[in-house]
Amino acid sequence: FLLLLTGSCLTGLVYLGFSLGWIKADVQADLTSWLAPIVWEGTFDPKLIDSIYKQQNITVATTVFALGKYTVFLQDFLESAEQNFFVGFRVHYYVFSDHPEQVPDVKLGGERKLTVMTVNSSSRWQEMSLGRMKRLEMLIESGLVNDADYLFSLDVDTKFYGRWGAETLGDLIGVIHAWYYNSPCVLFPYERRPESQAFIPYSEGDYYYGGAVLGGSVKCVYQLAKTCREQLDIDAAKSIEAAWQEESHLNKYFLYNKPSKLLSPEYSWDDQKMKPQEIKIIRFSQVLKNYAEVRPN
Ligand code: 5GW
Ligand code: MN
């Protein structure tokens, strides 16, 4: 009990120190302690970096899941991606949906294509929200994305507001969560129960990564998806669900398999959150959603 008391007191103190500004995270560092770049506006030359990757004639694949009522987000997602996401590159969208007829017919730029991947409907919401890792793993195993060099997986309840280009490419890519980029590590909402495979003790952690964006080379994304799926399966067999589901397992994976490049929260903002001074540009953001309308009952 004493341990518990001191434990929560410490957390409380950190919270207080953080709120009063005694504790400040190095919000805009542009390198991690393992020397991975953190991509912020101003740290790269957009034209130069695009031209370097254009010479390599690369293909970027992107999966996006729109199950149940989430198809309503596809139009804005795809239209804004056409304006901002790897403009001028070969891009291949893979839209997973159980309502393929509801996938909108968005006009795509040259060298860009979209494949609808039809999946079975499920009334179990766990299938919808927890099945992405498994489907990503299976997509890569199918060989369909063999023609791609890089692969991203993005939330569909989102919109692009600014450029997203070759600066985001690398072996293994994670994004820093918009709500935790300036929080001390002990306040990160990692899974804290040792029973879960996503468990991270208070003494560990680098960043809190957002679950709305992951990416990298096809090979690295495969390792990530396979491992997270296995860990999710172990938890499911024990009827344990991690605090933030796939996001918790992603955070565990990135703790032991460090991303080679991190995207700043510019790449995964939230429309619910005011843009503070230190954030120069919002490139990609979660849109507001009516939970009662889009989530299965
Ligand atoms: C999400 C939560 C509970 C039950 C179902 C879902 C759900 C997620 C769904 O019904 N349909 C669906 O396509 N998804 C996919 O999972 C979407 O691509 C969505 O962007 C992603 C993550 O779920 P989100 O966006 O509701 O989670 P938050 O944490 O961004 O709110
Ligand atoms: Mn989302």
PDB file of all heavy atoms in Angstrom, residues 155 157 286 289, ligand 2:
ATOM      1  N   ASP A 155      -5.153   6.152 -40.626  1.00  0.00           N
ATOM      2  CA  ASP A 155      -6.562   6.239 -40.216  1.00  0.00           C
ATOM      3  C   ASP A 155      -7.366   6.907 -41.330  1.00  0.00           C
ATOM      4  O   ASP A 155      -6.864   7.801 -42.009  1.00  0.00           O
ATOM      5  CB  ASP A 155      -6.698   7.102 -38.950  1.00  0.00           C
ATOM      6  CG  ASP A 155      -6.768   6.271 -37.675  1.00  0.00           C
ATOM      7  OD1 ASP A 155      -6.289   5.127 -37.687  1.00  0.00           O
ATOM      8  OD2 ASP A 155      -7.295   6.789 -36.668  1.00  0.00           O
ATOM      9  N   ASP A 157     -10.414   8.463 -40.675  1.00  0.00           N
ATOM     10  CA  ASP A 157     -11.185   9.600 -40.130  1.00  0.00           C
ATOM     11  C   ASP A 157     -10.257  10.812 -40.008  1.00  0.00           C
ATOM     12  O   ASP A 157     -10.087  11.394 -38.946  1.00  0.00           O
ATOM     13  CB  ASP A 157     -11.806   9.241 -38.773  1.00  0.00           C
ATOM     14  CG  ASP A 157     -10.777   8.851 -37.734  1.00  0.00           C
ATOM     15  OD1 ASP A 157      -9.706   8.344 -38.129  1.00  0.00           O
ATOM     16  OD2 ASP A 157     -11.030   9.057 -36.532  1.00  0.00           O
ATOM     17  N   GLN A 286      -6.810  14.290 -37.470  1.00  0.00           N
ATOM     18  CA  GLN A 286      -8.047  13.569 -37.196  1.00  0.00           C
ATOM     19  C   GLN A 286      -9.203  14.568 -37.305  1.00  0.00           C
ATOM     20  O   GLN A 286      -9.135  15.626 -36.692  1.00  0.00           O
ATOM     21  CB  GLN A 286      -8.046  13.029 -35.750  1.00  0.00           C
ATOM     22  CG  GLN A 286      -6.949  12.026 -35.441  1.00  0.00           C
ATOM     23  CD  GLN A 286      -7.274  10.640 -35.941  1.00  0.00           C
ATOM     24  OE1 GLN A 286      -8.383  10.160 -35.808  1.00  0.00           O
ATOM     25  NE2 GLN A 286      -6.290  10.002 -36.545  1.00  0.00           N
ATOM     26  N   LYS A 289     -15.517  13.566 -35.255  1.00  0.00           N
ATOM     27  CA  LYS A 289     -16.499  12.567 -35.656  1.00  0.00           C
ATOM     28  C   LYS A 289     -17.587  12.428 -34.603  1.00  0.00           C
ATOM     29  O   LYS A 289     -17.350  12.628 -33.420  1.00  0.00           O
ATOM     30  CB  LYS A 289     -15.847  11.224 -35.980  1.00  0.00           C
ATOM     31  CG  LYS A 289     -15.038  10.559 -34.876  1.00  0.00           C
ATOM     32  CD  LYS A 289     -14.445   9.243 -35.414  1.00  0.00           C
ATOM     33  CE  LYS A 289     -13.657   8.469 -34.384  1.00  0.00           C
ATOM     34  NZ  LYS A 289     -12.292   8.976 -34.166  1.00  0.00           N
TER      35      LYS A 289
HETATM   36 MN    MN B   2      -8.964   7.885 -36.068  1.00  0.00          MN
END
